[in-house]
Amino acid sequence: MSEPTEHPDPATVDSPTDVAQLSTDLLAALRSDQSVDEYVQTIANLGSSALDRLGTDVDAAKTFWINCYNAAAQIGFRELTAPLENRRQFFGDRRFVVAGTPVSLDDIEHGILRASMSKYGFGYLPALFRTDFERRHRLRAVDHRIHFALNCAAASCPPIRSYHAERIDDELDLATASYLDAEASYDPDAGVVEVPRLLLWYRGDFGGREGIYDLLQRHDIVAEGERPSVSYRSYDWTPAAAKFAEG
């Protein structure tokens, strides 16, 4: 587990690595139940040039925005009354500030990490409305592994990890493998594979039906060439805050 570093001055947070590390430290502070106010304020006060440079390093950008999403969800869960009972407010309210711009969980997930894709339409529809901030800072393409990294404080969410720019690919692979191992199962006798509902909601992000089979094959859930029927698990929205991965 990463230990948070000293709170930096926003003026000194300049490189993509520095910006990403700030979000990693924020998650580490949340996990160890330390005060996060100064980290949150530093992210709010980042210079626009520092955030622009983040866009030149896709690994640092993924790290920063995944960590910010998970931190914003945990902070919002603490501050709101029954947040998951009013999911529109929880996901849509712009309570977390990045470089002077308030953003919502939906803004981070669908606008930036999913490259301006709609939260509806099973991962096939582009968003109709895009803010200038989103256009400026969104990733160029969707990495389907983010769906196994984002935690909105519900029981079916993947556990929270502090991601690091220098090893984000390995960490996302681990998150994907761990979640599928826990949430996917195959009954060859019945010819049915049961998978997380995230694969239905964002089917297009995974490359459609064939992409889902490829994913399941890569993680040894079904054998190469097998095409069982796919059943999608129900999503459990029971509140489950501070669900951190072990280790």
Short mmCIF file of all heavy atoms in Angstrom, two decimals, residues 2-64:
data_model
loop_
_atom_site.label_atom_id
_atom_site.label_comp_id
_atom_site.label_asym_id
_atom_site.label_seq_id
_atom_site.Cartn_x
_atom_site.Cartn_y
_atom_site.Cartn_z
N SER A 2 0.57 2.22 -0.83
CA SER A 2 1.33 3.46 -0.88
C SER A 2 1.06 4.31 0.34
O SER A 2 -0.06 4.36 0.85
CB SER A 2 0.96 4.26 -2.14
OG SER A 2 1.24 3.52 -3.31
N GLU A 3 2.09 4.99 0.81
CA GLU A 3 1.92 5.97 1.86
C GLU A 3 1.86 7.35 1.22
O GLU A 3 2.63 7.66 0.31
CB GLU A 3 3.09 5.92 2.85
CG GLU A 3 3.12 4.63 3.67
CD GLU A 3 1.93 4.50 4.60
OE1 GLU A 3 1.39 5.55 5.01
OE2 GLU A 3 1.53 3.37 4.90
N PRO A 4 0.94 8.22 1.66
CA PRO A 4 0.87 9.56 1.08
C PRO A 4 2.13 10.34 1.37
O PRO A 4 2.73 10.21 2.43
CB PRO A 4 -0.35 10.18 1.76
CG PRO A 4 -0.56 9.39 3.00
CD PRO A 4 -0.08 8.00 2.71
N THR A 5 2.54 11.15 0.42
CA THR A 5 3.69 12.02 0.61
C THR A 5 3.24 13.33 1.24
O THR A 5 2.07 13.53 1.53
CB THR A 5 4.37 12.29 -0.74
OG1 THR A 5 3.42 12.91 -1.63
CG2 THR A 5 4.85 11.00 -1.37
N GLU A 6 4.19 14.25 1.47
CA GLU A 6 3.82 15.55 2.04
C GLU A 6 2.92 16.30 1.06
O GLU A 6 3.02 16.16 -0.15
CB GLU A 6 5.09 16.37 2.31
CG GLU A 6 5.96 15.78 3.41
CD GLU A 6 7.15 16.67 3.71
OE1 GLU A 6 7.23 17.76 3.09
OE2 GLU A 6 7.98 16.29 4.54
N HIS A 7 2.03 17.11 1.61
CA HIS A 7 1.11 17.88 0.77
C HIS A 7 1.90 18.85 -0.10
O HIS A 7 2.61 19.71 0.41
CB HIS A 7 0.13 18.67 1.64
CG HIS A 7 -0.70 17.81 2.56
ND1 HIS A 7 -1.52 16.83 2.09
CD2 HIS A 7 -0.80 17.78 3.90
CE1 HIS A 7 -2.12 16.24 3.11
NE2 HIS A 7 -1.68 16.79 4.22
N PRO A 8 1.78 18.76 -1.44
CA PRO A 8 2.54 19.64 -2.31
C PRO A 8 1.86 20.99 -2.52
O PRO A 8 0.65 21.11 -2.36
CB PRO A 8 2.59 18.86 -3.62
CG PRO A 8 1.32 18.08 -3.62
CD PRO A 8 1.03 17.75 -2.17
N ASP A 9 2.65 21.97 -2.88
CA ASP A 9 2.14 23.26 -3.32
C ASP A 9 1.64 23.09 -4.75
O ASP A 9 2.36 22.55 -5.59
CB ASP A 9 3.27 24.29 -3.27
CG ASP A 9 2.82 25.68 -3.67
OD1 ASP A 9 1.81 25.80 -4.40
OD2 ASP A 9 3.48 26.65 -3.26
N PRO A 10 0.41 23.52 -5.07
CA PRO A 10 -0.10 23.35 -6.44
C PRO A 10 0.84 23.91 -7.50
O PRO A 10 0.92 23.39 -8.61
CB PRO A 10 -1.43 24.10 -6.43
CG PRO A 10 -1.86 24.09 -5.01
CD PRO A 10 -0.60 24.16 -4.20
N ALA A 11 1.58 24.97 -7.15
CA ALA A 11 2.48 25.59 -8.11
C ALA A 11 3.65 24.69 -8.48
O ALA A 11 4.27 24.85 -9.53
CB ALA A 11 3.01 26.92 -7.57
N THR A 12 3.95 23.71 -7.62
CA THR A 12 5.08 22.81 -7.88
C THR A 12 4.64 21.52 -8.58
O THR A 12 5.46 20.71 -8.95
CB THR A 12 5.80 22.44 -6.58
OG1 THR A 12 4.93 21.63 -5.77
CG2 THR A 12 6.18 23.68 -5.79
N VAL A 13 3.33 21.31 -8.71
CA VAL A 13 2.80 20.11 -9.38
C VAL A 13 2.72 20.45 -10.86
O VAL A 13 1.82 21.16 -11.31
CB VAL A 13 1.43 19.72 -8.83
CG1 VAL A 13 0.91 18.48 -9.55
CG2 VAL A 13 1.51 19.45 -7.33
N ASP A 14 3.67 19.93 -11.63
CA ASP A 14 3.82 20.40 -12.99
C ASP A 14 3.78 19.29 -14.02
O ASP A 14 3.03 19.35 -14.99
CB ASP A 14 5.14 21.18 -13.11
CG ASP A 14 5.28 21.87 -14.45
OD1 ASP A 14 4.38 22.67 -14.80
OD2 ASP A 14 6.27 21.61 -15.14
N SER A 15 4.55 18.23 -13.82
CA SER A 15 4.65 17.17 -14.81
C SER A 15 3.47 16.22 -14.71
O SER A 15 2.80 16.14 -13.67
CB SER A 15 5.94 16.38 -14.60
OG SER A 15 5.84 15.59 -13.42
N PRO A 16 3.18 15.46 -15.78
CA PRO A 16 2.11 14.46 -15.69
C PRO A 16 2.30 13.49 -14.54
O PRO A 16 1.34 13.10 -13.88
CB PRO A 16 2.20 13.76 -17.05
CG PRO A 16 2.76 14.77 -17.97
CD PRO A 16 3.74 15.56 -17.14
N THR A 17 3.55 13.10 -14.29
CA THR A 17 3.82 12.17 -13.18
C THR A 17 3.47 12.79 -11.85
O THR A 17 2.91 12.13 -10.96
CB THR A 17 5.30 11.75 -13.20
OG1 THR A 17 5.60 11.14 -14.47
CG2 THR A 17 5.59 10.75 -12.10
N ASP A 18 3.79 14.08 -11.68
CA ASP A 18 3.46 14.78 -10.43
C ASP A 18 1.95 14.85 -10.22
O ASP A 18 1.47 14.65 -9.10
CB ASP A 18 4.03 16.21 -10.45
CG ASP A 18 5.54 16.26 -10.37
OD1 ASP A 18 6.15 15.26 -9.92
OD2 ASP A 18 6.12 17.29 -10.75
N VAL A 19 1.22 15.15 -11.28
CA VAL A 19 -0.23 15.26 -11.18
C VAL A 19 -0.83 13.90 -10.82
O VAL A 19 -1.70 13.79 -9.95
CB VAL A 19 -0.84 15.79 -12.49
CG1 VAL A 19 -2.36 15.83 -12.39
CG2 VAL A 19 -0.30 17.19 -12.79
N ALA A 20 -0.36 12.85 -11.49
CA ALA A 20 -0.86 11.51 -11.20
C ALA A 20 -0.54 11.11 -9.76
O ALA A 20 -1.38 10.52 -9.07
CB ALA A 20 -0.25 10.51 -12.17
N GLN A 21 0.67 11.41 -9.30
CA GLN A 21 1.07 11.03 -7.95
C GLN A 21 0.20 11.72 -6.90
O GLN A 21 -0.11 11.14 -5.85
CB GLN A 21 2.54 11.39 -7.71
CG GLN A 21 3.08 10.94 -6.36
CD GLN A 21 3.03 9.43 -6.18
OE1 GLN A 21 3.40 8.68 -7.10
NE2 GLN A 21 2.56 8.97 -5.03
N LEU A 22 -0.23 12.93 -7.18
CA LEU A 22 -1.11 13.64 -6.27
C LEU A 22 -2.40 12.86 -6.03
O LEU A 22 -2.87 12.72 -4.89
CB LEU A 22 -1.42 15.03 -6.83
CG LEU A 22 -2.36 15.92 -6.04
CD1 LEU A 22 -1.83 16.19 -4.64
CD2 LEU A 22 -2.58 17.24 -6.79
N SER A 23 -2.95 12.28 -7.09
CA SER A 23 -4.19 11.50 -6.94
C SER A 23 -3.92 10.18 -6.21
O SER A 23 -4.75 9.71 -5.44
CB SER A 23 -4.81 11.23 -8.32
OG SER A 23 -4.06 10.27 -9.06
N THR A 24 -2.76 9.59 -6.46
CA THR A 24 -2.39 8.36 -5.75
C THR A 24 -2.28 8.62 -4.25
O THR A 24 -2.75 7.83 -3.42
CB THR A 24 -1.06 7.82 -6.30
OG1 THR A 24 -1.17 7.60 -7.72
CG2 THR A 24 -0.68 6.51 -5.61
N ASP A 25 -1.66 9.75 -3.90
CA ASP A 25 -1.52 10.11 -2.48
C ASP A 25 -2.87 10.39 -1.84
O ASP A 25 -3.09 10.06 -0.67
CB ASP A 25 -0.61 11.34 -2.34
CG ASP A 25 0.84 11.05 -2.71
OD1 ASP A 25 1.22 9.86 -2.73
OD2 ASP A 25 1.59 12.00 -2.97
N LEU A 26 -3.78 10.99 -2.60
CA LEU A 26 -5.13 11.23 -2.09
C LEU A 26 -5.80 9.92 -1.72
O LEU A 26 -6.40 9.80 -0.64
CB LEU A 26 -5.95 11.99 -3.13
CG LEU A 26 -7.45 12.10 -2.90
CD1 LEU A 26 -7.75 12.80 -1.58
CD2 LEU A 26 -8.12 12.84 -4.06
N LEU A 27 -5.71 8.92 -2.59
CA LEU A 27 -6.32 7.61 -2.29
C LEU A 27 -5.65 6.94 -1.10
O LEU A 27 -6.32 6.32 -0.26
CB LEU A 27 -6.24 6.70 -3.51
CG LEU A 27 -7.52 6.49 -4.31
CD1 LEU A 27 -8.55 5.73 -3.50
CD2 LEU A 27 -8.10 7.81 -4.77
N ALA A 28 -4.33 7.08 -1.01
CA ALA A 28 -3.62 6.48 0.12
C ALA A 28 -4.05 7.13 1.43
O ALA A 28 -4.21 6.45 2.46
CB ALA A 28 -2.11 6.62 -0.08
N ALA A 29 -4.27 8.44 1.41
CA ALA A 29 -4.72 9.14 2.62
C ALA A 29 -6.14 8.70 3.00
O ALA A 29 -6.45 8.51 4.18
CB ALA A 29 -4.67 10.65 2.40
N LEU A 30 -7.00 8.54 2.00
CA LEU A 30 -8.35 8.06 2.27
C LEU A 30 -8.33 6.67 2.91
O LEU A 30 -9.04 6.40 3.87
CB LEU A 30 -9.16 8.00 0.98
CG LEU A 30 -9.94 9.24 0.56
CD1 LEU A 30 -10.50 9.05 -0.84
CD2 LEU A 30 -11.06 9.54 1.54
N ARG A 31 -7.48 5.82 2.37
CA ARG A 31 -7.42 4.44 2.86
C ARG A 31 -6.93 4.40 4.31
O ARG A 31 -7.41 3.59 5.11
CB ARG A 31 -6.49 3.61 1.98
CG ARG A 31 -6.34 2.19 2.47
CD ARG A 31 -5.66 1.30 1.48
NE ARG A 31 -5.73 -0.09 1.88
CZ ARG A 31 -5.62 -1.12 1.06
NH1 ARG A 31 -5.44 -0.91 -0.23
NH2 ARG A 31 -5.68 -2.36 1.52
N SER A 32 -5.98 5.25 4.65
CA SER A 32 -5.43 5.24 6.00
C SER A 32 -6.20 6.16 6.94
O SER A 32 -5.78 6.40 8.07
CB SER A 32 -3.95 5.65 5.97
OG SER A 32 -3.79 6.92 5.38
N ASP A 33 -7.35 6.67 6.45
CA ASP A 33 -8.26 7.50 7.25
C ASP A 33 -7.60 8.78 7.75
O ASP A 33 -7.88 9.26 8.84
CB ASP A 33 -8.80 6.69 8.45
CG ASP A 33 -10.16 7.21 8.92
OD1 ASP A 33 -10.87 7.81 8.10
OD2 ASP A 33 -10.48 7.05 10.11
N GLN A 34 -6.71 9.32 6.93
CA GLN A 34 -6.11 10.62 7.22
C GLN A 34 -6.98 11.73 6.63
O GLN A 34 -7.84 11.47 5.80
CB GLN A 34 -4.71 10.71 6.63
CG GLN A 34 -3.72 9.69 7.17
CD GLN A 34 -2.36 9.84 6.54
OE1 GLN A 34 -1.96 10.93 6.13
NE2 GLN A 34 -1.62 8.74 6.45
N SER A 35 -6.71 12.95 7.04
CA SER A 35 -7.41 14.08 6.45
C SER A 35 -7.00 14.21 4.98
O SER A 35 -5.81 14.10 4.63
CB SER A 35 -7.06 15.38 7.19
OG SER A 35 -7.58 16.49 6.49
N VAL A 36 -7.98 14.44 4.12
CA VAL A 36 -7.68 14.58 2.68
C VAL A 36 -7.91 16.00 2.20
O VAL A 36 -7.76 16.28 1.01
CB VAL A 36 -8.55 13.60 1.86
CG1 VAL A 36 -8.25 12.16 2.24
CG2 VAL A 36 -10.04 13.90 2.02
N ASP A 37 -8.24 16.91 3.11
CA ASP A 37 -8.63 18.26 2.70
C ASP A 37 -7.55 18.95 1.88
O ASP A 37 -7.85 19.60 0.87
CB ASP A 37 -8.97 19.11 3.93
CG ASP A 37 -10.24 18.64 4.63
OD1 ASP A 37 -10.97 17.81 4.03
OD2 ASP A 37 -10.50 19.09 5.76
N GLU A 38 -6.31 18.82 2.31
CA GLU A 38 -5.24 19.53 1.60
C GLU A 38 -4.99 18.92 0.22
O GLU A 38 -4.69 19.63 -0.73
CB GLU A 38 -3.96 19.53 2.44
CG GLU A 38 -4.06 20.42 3.68
CD GLU A 38 -2.72 20.58 4.38
OE1 GLU A 38 -1.74 20.89 3.70
OE2 GLU A 38 -2.67 20.37 5.61
N TYR A 39 -5.11 17.60 0.10
CA TYR A 39 -4.96 16.98 -1.22
C TYR A 39 -6.08 17.44 -2.14
O TYR A 39 -5.86 17.75 -3.31
CB TYR A 39 -5.00 15.45 -1.09
CG TYR A 39 -3.79 14.86 -0.41
CD1 TYR A 39 -3.89 14.31 0.86
CD2 TYR A 39 -2.54 14.85 -1.04
CE1 TYR A 39 -2.78 13.77 1.50
CE2 TYR A 39 -1.43 14.31 -0.41
CZ TYR A 39 -1.56 13.76 0.87
OH TYR A 39 -0.47 13.24 1.49
N VAL A 40 -7.31 17.43 -1.62
CA VAL A 40 -8.45 17.87 -2.42
C VAL A 40 -8.27 19.32 -2.86
O VAL A 40 -8.55 19.67 -4.02
CB VAL A 40 -9.76 17.70 -1.61
CG1 VAL A 40 -10.93 18.37 -2.32
CG2 VAL A 40 -10.05 16.21 -1.39
N GLN A 41 -7.78 20.15 -1.95
CA GLN A 41 -7.58 21.56 -2.28
C GLN A 41 -6.47 21.74 -3.30
O GLN A 41 -6.56 22.59 -4.20
CB GLN A 41 -7.25 22.36 -1.01
CG GLN A 41 -7.42 23.87 -1.18
CD GLN A 41 -8.84 24.25 -1.56
OE1 GLN A 41 -9.80 23.82 -0.94
NE2 GLN A 41 -8.98 25.05 -2.61
N THR A 42 -5.42 20.94 -3.20
CA THR A 42 -4.33 21.03 -4.16
C THR A 42 -4.82 20.66 -5.56
O THR A 42 -4.48 21.32 -6.55
CB THR A 42 -3.17 20.10 -3.76
OG1 THR A 42 -2.70 20.48 -2.47
CG2 THR A 42 -2.02 20.21 -4.75
N ILE A 43 -5.63 19.62 -5.67
CA ILE A 43 -6.19 19.23 -6.96
C ILE A 43 -7.11 20.33 -7.49
O ILE A 43 -7.10 20.65 -8.68
CB ILE A 43 -6.94 17.89 -6.84
CG1 ILE A 43 -5.94 16.75 -6.61
CG2 ILE A 43 -7.80 17.61 -8.08
CD1 ILE A 43 -6.56 15.42 -6.31
N ALA A 44 -7.88 20.94 -6.61
CA ALA A 44 -8.76 22.03 -7.01
C ALA A 44 -7.98 23.23 -7.53
O ALA A 44 -8.44 23.93 -8.44
CB ALA A 44 -9.65 22.46 -5.84
N ASN A 45 -6.78 23.44 -6.98
CA ASN A 45 -5.99 24.63 -7.32
C ASN A 45 -4.92 24.36 -8.38
O ASN A 45 -4.08 25.24 -8.63
CB ASN A 45 -5.33 25.18 -6.06
CG ASN A 45 -6.33 25.76 -5.09
OD1 ASN A 45 -7.43 26.15 -5.48
ND2 ASN A 45 -5.98 25.81 -3.81
N LEU A 46 -4.93 23.17 -8.96
CA LEU A 46 -3.95 22.89 -10.02
C LEU A 46 -4.05 23.92 -11.13
O LEU A 46 -5.14 24.38 -11.48
CB LEU A 46 -4.20 21.50 -10.61
CG LEU A 46 -3.74 20.28 -9.82
CD1 LEU A 46 -4.23 19.02 -10.51
CD2 LEU A 46 -2.23 20.26 -9.67
N GLY A 47 -2.91 24.23 -11.73
CA GLY A 47 -2.91 25.13 -12.87
C GLY A 47 -3.42 24.43 -14.12
O GLY A 47 -3.25 23.22 -14.28
N SER A 48 -4.06 25.16 -15.00
CA SER A 48 -4.60 24.56 -16.22
C SER A 48 -3.49 23.98 -17.09
O SER A 48 -3.68 22.97 -17.78
CB SER A 48 -5.40 25.59 -17.01
OG SER A 48 -4.60 26.71 -17.34
N SER A 49 -2.29 24.58 -17.04
CA SER A 49 -1.19 24.07 -17.85
C SER A 49 -0.75 22.70 -17.37
O SER A 49 -0.39 21.82 -18.17
CB SER A 49 -0.01 25.04 -17.83
OG SER A 49 0.46 25.24 -16.51
N ALA A 50 -0.76 22.48 -16.05
CA ALA A 50 -0.38 21.18 -15.51
C ALA A 50 -1.37 20.11 -15.96
O ALA A 50 -1.00 19.00 -16.32
CB ALA A 50 -0.31 21.24 -13.99
N LEU A 51 -2.65 20.46 -15.95
CA LEU A 51 -3.67 19.50 -16.38
C LEU A 51 -3.58 19.25 -17.88
O LEU A 51 -3.80 18.13 -18.35
CB LEU A 51 -5.06 20.01 -16.00
CG LEU A 51 -6.14 18.93 -15.81
CD1 LEU A 51 -5.75 17.96 -14.70
CD2 LEU A 51 -7.48 19.57 -15.51
N ASP A 52 -3.23 20.28 -18.64
CA ASP A 52 -3.04 20.09 -20.08
C ASP A 52 -1.89 19.12 -20.36
O ASP A 52 -2.00 18.25 -21.22
CB ASP A 52 -2.74 21.43 -20.76
CG ASP A 52 -3.97 22.30 -20.92
OD1 ASP A 52 -5.09 21.77 -20.84
OD2 ASP A 52 -3.80 23.52 -21.10
N ARG A 53 -0.80 19.26 -19.62
CA ARG A 53 0.34 18.37 -19.82
C ARG A 53 0.00 16.93 -19.44
O ARG A 53 0.60 15.99 -19.98
CB ARG A 53 1.55 18.87 -19.04
CG ARG A 53 2.30 20.00 -19.74
CD ARG A 53 3.61 20.32 -19.05
NE ARG A 53 3.40 21.05 -17.82
CZ ARG A 53 3.24 22.37 -17.74
NH1 ARG A 53 3.24 23.11 -18.85
NH2 ARG A 53 3.05 22.97 -16.58
N LEU A 54 -0.93 16.75 -18.52
CA LEU A 54 -1.37 15.40 -18.17
C LEU A 54 -1.87 14.65 -19.40
O LEU A 54 -1.69 13.43 -19.52
CB LEU A 54 -2.48 15.48 -17.11
CG LEU A 54 -3.03 14.16 -16.58
CD1 LEU A 54 -1.98 13.42 -15.77
CD2 LEU A 54 -4.27 14.42 -15.70
N GLY A 55 -2.47 15.37 -20.33
CA GLY A 55 -3.00 14.76 -21.54
C GLY A 55 -1.94 14.24 -22.49
O GLY A 55 -2.26 13.53 -23.45
N THR A 56 -0.67 14.54 -22.23
CA THR A 56 0.41 14.04 -23.09
C THR A 56 0.90 12.67 -22.64
O THR A 56 1.74 12.07 -23.30
CB THR A 56 1.60 15.02 -23.09
OG1 THR A 56 2.20 15.06 -21.78
CG2 THR A 56 1.14 16.42 -23.49
N ASP A 57 0.40 12.19 -21.52
CA ASP A 57 0.85 10.91 -20.95
C ASP A 57 -0.38 10.10 -20.58
O ASP A 57 -1.00 10.33 -19.54
CB ASP A 57 1.73 11.18 -19.72
CG ASP A 57 2.34 9.92 -19.13
OD1 ASP A 57 1.75 8.83 -19.29
OD2 ASP A 57 3.41 10.03 -18.48
N VAL A 58 -0.77 9.15 -21.44
CA VAL A 58 -2.03 8.44 -21.23
C VAL A 58 -2.02 7.62 -19.94
O VAL A 58 -3.05 7.50 -19.27
CB VAL A 58 -2.36 7.54 -22.45
CG1 VAL A 58 -1.37 6.41 -22.60
CG2 VAL A 58 -3.79 7.03 -22.37
N ASP A 59 -0.88 7.07 -19.55
CA ASP A 59 -0.82 6.30 -18.31
C ASP A 59 -1.04 7.20 -17.10
O ASP A 59 -1.77 6.85 -16.16
CB ASP A 59 0.53 5.59 -18.19
CG ASP A 59 0.66 4.42 -19.14
OD1 ASP A 59 -0.38 3.97 -19.68
OD2 ASP A 59 1.79 3.94 -19.35
N ALA A 60 -0.42 8.37 -17.12
CA ALA A 60 -0.60 9.31 -16.02
C ALA A 60 -2.04 9.82 -15.99
O ALA A 60 -2.64 9.99 -14.91
CB ALA A 60 0.37 10.49 -16.16
N ALA A 61 -2.62 10.05 -17.16
CA ALA A 61 -4.00 10.54 -17.23
C ALA A 61 -4.99 9.51 -16.68
O ALA A 61 -5.88 9.83 -15.89
CB ALA A 61 -4.36 10.91 -18.67
N LYS A 62 -4.84 8.25 -17.09
CA LYS A 62 -5.71 7.20 -16.55
C LYS A 62 -5.58 7.13 -15.03
O LYS A 62 -6.58 7.03 -14.30
CB LYS A 62 -5.35 5.84 -17.14
CG LYS A 62 -5.79 5.62 -18.56
CD LYS A 62 -5.37 4.19 -18.98
CE LYS A 62 -5.46 4.02 -20.47
NZ LYS A 62 -4.95 2.69 -20.88
N THR A 63 -4.35 7.15 -14.57
CA THR A 63 -4.10 7.07 -13.13
C THR A 63 -4.80 8.19 -12.39
O THR A 63 -5.52 7.96 -11.40
CB THR A 63 -2.59 7.13 -12.85
OG1 THR A 63 -1.94 6.03 -13.50
CG2 THR A 63 -2.30 7.07 -11.36
N PHE A 64 -4.60 9.40 -12.86
CA PHE A 64 -5.17 10.57 -12.19
C PHE A 64 -6.69 10.50 -12.14
O PHE A 64 -7.29 10.65 -11.08
CB PHE A 64 -4.73 11.84 -12.92
CG PHE A 64 -5.31 13.11 -12.33
CD1 PHE A 64 -4.79 13.66 -11.18
CD2 PHE A 64 -6.39 13.74 -12.94
CE1 PHE A 64 -5.33 14.82 -10.62
CE2 PHE A 64 -6.94 14.90 -12.41
CZ PHE A 64 -6.41 15.44 -11.25
#
